[in-house]
Amino acid sequence: MPADFNWAIGGEAGDGIDSTGKIFAQALSRAGRHVFTSKDFASRIRGGYTAYKVRTSVEQVQSVVDRLDVLIALTQRTIDENLDELHEGSVIIYDGERTTMQDVEIPDEMVGLDVPLKSLAEDAGGAIMRNVVALGAACAVSDFPIENLNSALEKRFGDKGSAIVENNMTAARKGRDYVHEHYDQEFGYDLECTDENYVLLNGDEAIGMGAIAGGCRFYAGYPITPATNVMEYLTGRIERYGGHVVQAEDELSAINMALGAARAGARSMTATSGPGIDLMAETFGLVATSETPLVICNVMRSGPSTGMPTKQEQGDLNAMLYGGHGEVPRFVLAPTTIAECFHKTVEAFNLAEKYQLPVYLTADLSLAVTEQTYPPEEFDMDAVEIERGNVVDEETVGEWQDDQGRFKPHAITEDGISPRAFPGTEGGVHMSTGLEHDELGRRTEDTGMRVQQVDKRSRKVETAKAREPFEAREFGDPDSETLVISWGSNEGAMREAMVFLEEDGIDVRFLSVPYVFPRPDLTDDVEAADEVILVECNATGQFADLIEHDTLTRVKRLNKYDGVRFKADELAERIAAMLAGDGEEEEATA
Amino acid sequence: MSSDVRFTDFKSDAQPTWCPGCGDFGTMNGMMKALAETGNSPDETFIVAGIGCSGKIGTYMRSYALHGVHGRALPVGAGVKLANPDIEVMVAGGDGDGYSIGAGHFVHAVRRNIDMTYVVMDNRIYGLTKGQASPTSREDFETSTTPEGPQQPPVNPLALAFAASGTFIAQSFSTDAQRHAEIVKEAVEHDGFGFVNVFSPCVTFNDVDTYDYFRDHIVDLAEVDHDPTDYEDARSRILDPGSEYQGVLYRDEDSVPYEKKHGVDANMSEIPDGAPDDAMDLVREFY
Ligand SMILES: Cc1ncc(C[n+]2csc(CCOP(=O)(O)OP(=O)(O)O)c2C)c(N)n1
Ligand code: SF4
């Protein structure tokens, strides 16, 4: 396990927790350290406990663990909520002048640093900077050069003028100096810096960036947690490339606008979360049957209904695989890391256009809202390829007309793929409809044509399976008798869990699957293993069902549906217990 | 745009299955005329249709077209237009499609003011599902689902559009071919969202709002003293209960369409072969 350091700031929603946490994460990243962040937040704007956690190391970090070394507590509740993660020697920074913190309870074995955050901030120019004072104090505790914090403050406040930046730097310095002057002790933390340059971003941002890189120019959406950030990212950026974002009146409108834009030839996308997916279901069928390329991004949160809007879950797999009436092909892609959110978004657009069908691109809340550092080369823009599939122009349209010169947008072909003509193309005039249709796109109830069109649409899936590398990502010991399979954001926690397991002498093979449909055939892998454990954040094991269905073999299920993502150490423990037999046939515990 | 387009170029070779005498025939002819006369060609036109007898129009016209799901034609039209502002977009549907299931989209399409045309074939009944009350049915109009009449006042589509800051609000009568085509043409030419509510009688299920009824009651705004650019004039006519006007009720001469306001002018079907040249800047933002 890389030598890591775990830091958090917690308080009430409205205390500026998020931006303070982000500044610290950025300071670490700018110091050439790897960072992984996570947020505990409730579905409210003001009041209520909220925390921003940062795990950092010189090696890449891809998960959270149950451990906190330094905690900035703006409320007593912050300490209470995190007691389990605090340990002997953990440092708690608080403001004893704050009325609610005067009788603060710091457990004996921990170090409490009472720093007058508010008064020091006032000395520096305003009480609003008290969190920055706390950041300065944290620098002192962790022996972290304050220049790096200054660089992050510059980035955060640069727009607001040099005076504001200066004041914040002063505030930070006051926090650091206060600790040095009043607490003459070694805390035992040392945050070494490197010369590396990393970028720090979350999954929603990676999806937005992938969309622009992948040629998406039209986005219509309706705000919903945790998908809104995709829209916020694209707004103000997509215009630079001739694109546009519309905030529609609801999800029904959003998907229909996106459909219209796609028919006009734009690479087009909408993003939403579970409740929005339900609303889009009717049009989803139209997208599929009119063979329109569209990327529908579902950033999953806890369901059903409005569930727990700010909590993690991977519960919408069935809705995406089977949602909508009738039978229509669709692809479901599930990036497994934040970087993959970028790559899979680019791929989603290519697949949608090559196979002319709707592609669900699904991230989960954990991927969407947490940030991770990467070397910038991870997002290699030169490697982005754009494949538009079978689009005809004025020269080629003739190949796809019938003997009366009518264009055939639903031509029956061997590979199931028909031609596309964008409006404005002379000779490509045609109508599309949600009704069953013939090759010209005209309504039909002819039994033969119905069967031919259904078969044609499903042939695209077979074609894609033959042409595309729908493979799993493989980790660990290829010969291990224990096979762990997961999808979505669990990859990071599992990869780090493998390090813990190895320390206990347990080797596993791990397959992380980014393609839900079509998906790789794992029959041989499952058959070769003695134990197969399916890890996912839902109660019923929706992905496990699929694997059992594909391989005709029972697998063990390791589920979590309390709204909190898997942590690496927790996951390692539960896998070890399952292998030892204690947790065997373990009830799907929360 | 080509000048030698004739209105029959907008006719497909599909045989309409509308009941003989249905008002939708006239509505469609007027739409085709308006498109041809404004210099559009089928190659550069996109028709979006809703669901209902009215929605079948996309099949009988010839252009790029989409026949969508019930009530959602307007957002599709918006998407087409924003992705390629060079395309002429016309959206058509029924009163159920537009003012019931699609009412939310209607209000927002009006206030969004994208440069397209919306034609509603208002027969004050649900035709395709065989004669149930629609949002524009009269309060006492007996139907299979409202044996005593809906017992709710009808929606006033013109007022809805007016309240939503509509910039072009008109009404026509499908069988008055000349006037109807003229009015739709004006809607097409309007810089912004051109809305036309068309009396398009259902001869099979509506024996109240018939051709005779409209002939007897229609007041043509061309024949009375009405200035469509005068807000107060427009308001008093639009809110006049029991009136059946034909003509342009309101036109905002200062209308600036959404595309202009938002600088949307690119043909988005044209994209580079790979990521944009400066795409690494997007990554650097995250330093
Ligand atoms: C979601 C949905 N609900 C119901 C229907 C059934 N339906 C088809 S047409 C229609 C009403 C059409 O009425 P209107 O828009 O007035 O058009 P008309 O047929 O009178 O031209 C209904 C309810 C449907 N197709 N989709
Ligand atoms: S049912 Fe009415 S609206 Fe439908 S085609 Fe017949 S006459 Fe027209």
Side-chain angles (χ1 to χ4, degrees), chain A residues 228-532:
Chain A
T228 314
N229 288 337
V230 175
M231 187 167 171
E232 288 176 344
Y233 175 85
L234 290 173
T235 304
R237 286 190 183 79
I238 206 169
E239 293 85 352
R240 292 186 218 155
Y241 304 96
H244 189 62
V245 171
V246 185
Q247 180 174 324
E249 54 272 23
D250 53 35
E251 287 82 355
L252 300 126
S253 177
I255 189 172
N256 277 281
M257 281 189 190
L259 161 67
R263 297 226 58 99
R267 285 197 157 192
S268 174
M269 170 163 98
T270 182
T272 185
S273 191
I277 290 295
D278 290 353
L279 287 178
M280 291 180 182
E282 185 195 20
T283 301
F284 179 84
L286 171 64
V287 173
T289 201
S290 64
E291 304 195 70
T292 307
L294 194 67
V295 176
I296 303 162
C297 172
N298 177 13
V299 186
M300 292 180 287
R301 63 188 211 183
S302 272
S305 190
T306 24
M308 298 194 288
T310 60
K311 300 293 173 190
Q312 161 71 353
E313 197 163 287
Q314 300 177 302
D316 300 350
L317 203 51
N318 289 341
M320 289 183 286
L321 281 170
Y322 309 116
H325 63 286
E327 300 170 305
V328 280
R330 81 277 308 267
F331 290 171
V332 184
L333 266 56
T336 54
T337 65
I338 291 165
E340 278 293 298
C341 285
F342 171 82
H343 297 295
K344 286 285 168 284
T345 304
V346 174
E347 191 177 341
F349 282 101
N350 283 336
L351 289 173
E353 291 208 316
K354 279 158 79 180
Y355 300 97
Q356 299 172 20
L357 40 65
V359 176
Y360 275 122
L361 173 75
T362 186
D364 48 47
L365 181 129
S366 292
L367 277 184
V369 306
T370 57
E371 290 133 326
Q372 189 179 338
T373 38
Y374 288 94
E377 309 83 63
E378 182 77 38
F379 308 96
D380 179 3
M381 293 294 178
D382 291 335
V384 169
E385 280 176 35
I386 290 184
E387 298 170 79
R388 305 215 64 184
N390 189 8
V391 178
V392 299
D393 58 21
E394 262 118 56
E395 263 104 69
T396 54
V397 70
E399 295 164 32
W400 298 97
Q401 288 169 335
D402 70 0
D403 47 12
Q404 293 176 58
R406 296 177 301 192
F407 181 67
K408 297 192 286 186
H410 302 285
I412 306 286
T413 57
E414 222 165 277
D415 59 7
I417 298 162
S418 310
R420 281 207 296 155
F422 302 152
T425 311
E426 239 174 87
V429 157
H430 67 275
M431 189 192 69
S432 300
T433 170
L435 294 164
E436 191 54 275
H437 43 255
D438 61 14
E439 290 187 291
L440 295 171
R442 288 148 50 133
R443 174 194 194 147
T444 183
E445 287 171 6
D446 177 272
T447 50
M449 182 48 67
R450 158 71 178 175
V451 171
Q452 283 191 59
Q453 288 292 346
V454 171
D455 290 350
K456 179 199 108 75
R457 291 193 289 265
S458 37
R459 256 197 321 276
K460 294 193 281 192
V461 177
E462 297 314 312
T463 304
K465 278 186 187 164
R467 291 184 189 166
E468 306 291 336
F470 293 127
E471 283 160 9
R473 291 152 66 85
E474 177 164 359
F475 305 96
D477 173 7
D479 301 318
S480 169
E481 280 156 13
T482 306
L483 173 64
V484 177
I485 301 174
S486 87
W487 65 286
S489 66
N490 311 314
E491 179 181 305
M494 185 57 206
R495 284 185 63 187
E496 293 203 351
M498 286 164 75
V499 182
F500 286 114
L501 287 166
E502 227 174 274
E503 284 166 5
D504 289 347
I506 302 171
D507 279 343
V508 301
R509 178 171 182 230
F510 170 43
L511 294 175
S512 177
V513 189
Y515 301 99
V516 178
F517 189 83
R519 60 186 165 273
D521 182 355
L522 301 183
T523 312
D524 292 344
D525 307 272
V526 167
E527 276 177 1
D530 275 357
E531 299 268 12
V532 182

Side-chain angles (χ1 to χ4, degrees), chain B residues 218-241:
Chain B
I218 273 189
V219 175
D220 197 312
L221 293 170
E223 287 156 22
V224 297
D225 182 25
H226 177 72
D227 176 6
T229 65
D230 183 313
Y231 190 83
E232 284 309 318
D233 233 11
R235 186 171 66 166
S236 63
R237 302 259 182 216
I238 285 171
L239 294 180
D240 177 5

Side-chain angles (χ1 to χ4, degrees), chain A residues 282, chain B residues 51-54 70 94-97 101 123 125-129:
Chain A
E282 185 195 20
Chain B
I51 295 286
C53 295
S54 45
H70 197 23
D95 39 298
D97 193 68
I101 192 165
N123 54 16
I125 186 103
Y126 282 13
L128 195 66
T129 48

Side-chain angles (χ1 to χ4, degrees), chain B residues 17-24 53-54 123 125 127-128 200-205:
Chain B
T17 56
W18 286 321
C19 307
C22 174
D24 293 352
C53 295
S54 45
N123 54 16
I125 186 103
L128 195 66
S200 189
C202 171
V203 293
T204 305
F205 297 111

Side-chain angles (χ1 to χ4, degrees), chain A residues 73-307:
Chain A
L74 300 184
T75 53
Q76 173 68 41
R77 178 153 177 215
T78 308
I79 300 172
D80 302 341
E81 288 276 347
N82 292 286
L83 265 186
D84 289 355
E85 297 186 18
L86 293 164
H87 56 86
E88 201 181 319
S90 286
V91 178
I92 300 169
I93 299 168
Y94 66 98
D95 185 351
E97 285 178 7
R98 192 172 161 140
T99 45
T100 53
M101 297 292 282
Q102 276 164 3
D103 328 300
V104 67
E105 285 167 39
I106 305 279
D108 287 344
E109 67 279 19
M110 291 166 203
V111 186
L113 300 191
D114 182 353
V115 182
L117 303 177
K118 189 164 166 239
S119 6
L120 289 173
E122 279 164 351
D123 292 348
I128 190 158
M129 294 182 294
R130 61 188 182 138
N131 291 359
V132 177
V133 175
L135 289 179
C139 284
V141 172
S142 52
D143 220 353
F144 183 64
I146 203 151
E147 294 71 37
N148 295 302
L149 178 57
N150 287 344
S151 150
L153 289 170
E154 173 85 51
K155 177 171 166 105
R156 173 76 174 78
F157 297 111
D159 294 352
K160 300 195 171 158
S162 53
I164 304 258
V165 176
E166 278 303 321
N167 287 352
N168 275 283
M169 288 181 181
T170 308
R173 210 163 40 241
K174 284 185 183 291
R176 180 197 58 180
D177 294 348
Y178 186 91
V179 173
H180 281 155
E181 282 156 25
H182 293 79
Y183 298 95
D184 182 21
Q185 65 191 92
E186 283 292 319
F187 298 100
Y189 300 110
D190 171 17
L191 298 189
E192 169 197 344
C193 305
T194 77
D195 292 333
E196 299 297 328
N197 272 319
Y198 297 129
V199 291
L200 177 71
L201 71 170
N202 69 31
D204 274 346
E205 290 165 335
I207 288 169
M209 193 165 76
I212 293 181
C216 175
R217 293 295 176 265
F218 186 84
Y219 177 96
Y222 189 74
I224 184 167
T225 305
T228 314
N229 288 337
V230 175
M231 187 167 171
E232 288 176 344
Y233 175 85
L234 290 173
T235 304
R237 286 190 183 79
I238 206 169
E239 293 85 352
R240 292 186 218 155
Y241 304 96
H244 189 62
V245 171
V246 185
Q247 180 174 324
E249 54 272 23
D250 53 35
E251 287 82 355
L252 300 126
S253 177
I255 189 172
N256 277 281
M257 281 189 190
L259 161 67
R263 297 226 58 99
R267 285 197 157 192
S268 174
M269 170 163 98
T270 182
T272 185
S273 191
I277 290 295
D278 290 353
L279 287 178
M280 291 180 182
E282 185 195 20
T283 301
F284 179 84
L286 171 64
V287 173
T289 201
S290 64
E291 304 195 70
T292 307
L294 194 67
V295 176
I296 303 162
C297 172
N298 177 13
V299 186
M300 292 180 287
R301 63 188 211 183
S302 272
S305 190
T306 24

